[in-house]
Amino acid sequence: MLADRLKTLAPSSTLAVQAKAKELRARGIDVISFGAGEPDFDTPRRIKDAAVEAMQRGQTKYTEVGGVPELRAAVCAKLKRDNGLDYEPADILVSVGAKHTLFNLVMALINPGDEVLVPSPYWVSYPEQVRLLGGVPVAVPTQEATGFDLDPGRLAAAVTPRTKLIVLNSPNNPTGAVFTPGALAAVARLAVERDLWVVSDECYEALTFEGRHASIASLGPEVKARTIVVNTCSKAYAMTGWRIGYAAGPRALIRAMTDVQSQVTSNPSSIAQWAAVEALTGPQDEVAKMAGEFDRRRRLIIDGLNALPGVRCVMPRGAFYAFPNVSGLFGRTWRKADGAVSLESSLDATAFLLEEARVAVVPGRDFGSDAHVRLSYATSDALISEGLARMAAALATLR
Ligand SMILES: Cc1ncc(COP(=O)(O)O)c(C=O)c1O
């Protein structure tokens, strides 16, 4: 019945973990979830007020496909203010979240058989979107010892005549890496020399705790001319449900992505667009406040994880994820009610933590590393502490 392209599609495992935790809770089982990739804060009041006001003004109709001019101008002002980048509204496309932005990009750029370099571990949707459209994602490992910094040498070695695009994501989901200026500069040179496109997913920019966020597009006009900068209102402004993401890049490519969007979704919600104008142009102090809170929780959870036997975790420098290595648990025996099981993979570790600790985490396998699991610390101190205590108690039962 289904199209061939569906044969390889994996549904989002992060959303699957959230659904599983919700289902257990509905059955009365008290699960602490570290699965969600969204801030636990509410959207700031000024942004909600702007949405209400837009509705009252009658901003409830179709808009320009790529976003109202005021929002595209607000995106240009943001990119100038925060990233030192010059764009015009015609270089901007606003979409239904950055996930949609990225899909428009792959649709507009990738032919069947084209190779896309994806530094690994990676966010689960990059390889899936590429595969869905017949492209070939090529995972290029980064090293835990460098805090998962980009590895320009390995990227260079992975380039073939079919390579078309490199996917960068800093701060990184799931590792929390903030790529170093030297590595970014080397990848910029590689892209220019080998005539590659670059997509720079900067969705976690506002949550940079160590190092400084730099967009690769700001490293010079040659690399900017082949880079698509992608960002979102989801994480910085706690607006995941509003679905506003955007891209800035070379005009011809933005136009092609807009044409794709014109045949698939048309404009993103008019009301959410006006909320986004306020988010991007209004006072930015809540952003720093939320980031400060995440930074504090980061230390709490990483210290706690490193105190667990068989678990070690590098200190993430950005985003709101911990990506502990759990391979120290492999080979240990989990005595389940229906028989003993040896833990051998991130899936086993995830199942063990869910059943024995009632703690939901996401298996690293889907992010490209079976030695790790991912925890989101966008949750309260009390739940982080309780979750860590439960994990410690469960790990003490392993043989
Ligand atoms: C790395 C990365 N890029 C993009 C997105 C998409 O965000 P949204 O579609 O909500 O803008 C996410 C969300 O989890 C993400 O982690």
Side-chain angles (χ1 to χ4, degrees):
M1 170 186 84
L2 298 178
D4 289 347
R5 70 178 73 87
L6 266 290
K7 286 183 183 145
T8 60
L9 180 74
S12 162
S13 66
T14 48
L15 298 184
V17 166
Q18 271 162 265
K20 174 88 184 164
K22 208 168 174 179
E23 176 204 314
L24 288 171
R25 279 202 203 107
R27 285 177 20 213
I29 299 168
D30 158 39
V31 173
I32 295 180
S33 180
F34 292 106
E38 62 182 346
D40 55 328
F41 301 109
D42 196 6
T43 305
R45 180 66 193 263
R46 66 180 175 92
I47 297 172
K48 291 183 181 176
D49 288 347
V52 171
E53 205 181 289
M55 272 189 278
Q56 308 292 18
R57 282 203 319 271
Q59 301 286 359
T60 53
K61 303 283 201 280
Y62 290 132
T63 73
E64 291 80 351
V65 170
V68 295
E70 290 83 348
L71 179 52
R72 282 180 287 143
V75 168
C76 292
K78 179 261 173 250
L79 291 167
K80 181 73 180 165
R81 176 188 70 206
D82 298 344
N83 311 103
L85 291 170
D86 287 303
Y87 289 102
E88 292 176 25
D91 308 326
I92 307 298
L93 167 63
V94 181
S95 305
V96 186
K99 194 181 266 189
H100 182 212
T101 309
L102 290 161
F103 193 71
N104 284 331
L105 171 66
V106 178
M107 195 75 168
L109 199 62
I110 298 302
N111 276 315
D114 283 349
E115 293 174 1
V116 177
L117 302 187
V118 186
S120 166
Y122 43 73
W123 181 48
V124 290
S125 296
Y126 303 134
E128 290 303 332
Q129 291 191 347
V130 169
R131 245 193 305 270
L132 195 52
L133 297 175
V136 181
V138 177
V140 182
T142 61
Q143 302 305 309
E144 191 159 16
T146 65
F148 302 102
D149 194 10
L150 270 185
D151 189 333
R154 281 198 182 205
L155 281 167
V159 175
T160 75
R162 298 297 320 243
T163 309
K164 182 124 187 218
L165 174 68
I166 305 180
V167 179
L168 302 184
N169 173 215
S170 178
N172 188 273
N173 174 8
T175 66
V178 172
F179 298 151
T180 53
L184 275 181
V187 172
R189 281 195 300 276
L190 175 70
V192 172
E193 277 165 24
R194 304 298 299 267
D195 193 20
L196 306 174
W197 288 91
V198 178
V199 55
S200 180
D201 178 343
E202 305 178 10
C203 287
Y204 294 96
E205 168 188 23
L207 307 175
T208 305
F209 312 122
E210 291 174 40
R212 224 189 98 254
H213 173 78
S215 176
I216 190 166
S218 68
L219 300 187
E222 278 186 309
V223 67
K224 182 172 179 248
R226 52 185 62 254
T227 298
I228 303 92
V229 176
V230 173
N231 211 324
T232 180
C233 289
S234 288
K235 317 288 176 172
Y237 304 103
M239 287 178 69
T240 46
W242 299 74
R243 312 307 302 131
I244 295 289
Y246 54 88
R251 196 162 297 180
L253 181 51
I254 290 291
R255 195 174 305 130
M257 292 164 63
T258 309
D259 289 346
V260 171
Q261 182 161 304
S262 77
Q263 296 294 8
V264 182
T265 58
S266 302
N267 60 277
S269 153
S270 57
I271 300 157
Q273 287 188 57
W274 286 100
V277 170
E278 172 58 32
L280 294 172
T281 58
Q284 301 290 303
D285 23 321
E286 319 95 342
V287 181
K289 224 158 92 195
M290 288 191 266
E293 186 60 23
F294 285 130
D295 188 12
R296 216 180 38 69
R297 294 176 189 176
R298 168 177 77 121
R299 295 162 201 282
L300 178 69
I301 195 162
I302 304 303
D303 289 351
L305 288 167
N306 278 320
L308 298 174
V311 176
R312 60 191 162 80
C313 191
V314 298
M315 183 61 87
R317 292 167 16 115
F320 43 57
Y321 304 103
F323 200 58
N325 188 318
V326 294
S327 62
L329 304 175
F330 296 173
R332 305 279 302 279
T333 303
W334 169 19
R335 289 168 306 155
K336 289 172 81 164
D338 55 351
V341 179
S342 175
L343 298 183
E344 300 297 345
S345 68
S346 63
L347 285 178
D348 292 346
T350 302
F352 167 75
L353 290 173
L354 190 60
E355 285 187 38
E356 298 298 328
R358 299 293 181 209
V359 164
V361 305
V362 190
R365 192 189 62 174
D366 301 336
F367 300 94
S369 171
D370 207 19
H372 296 82
V373 296
R374 191 195 76 172
L375 291 83
S376 158
Y377 54 85
T379 190
S380 70
D381 286 15
L383 287 174
I384 291 172
S385 299
E386 170 67 14
L388 287 165
R390 289 187 187 187
M391 286 191 268
L395 291 175
T397 68
L398 287 174
R399 287 298 148 101

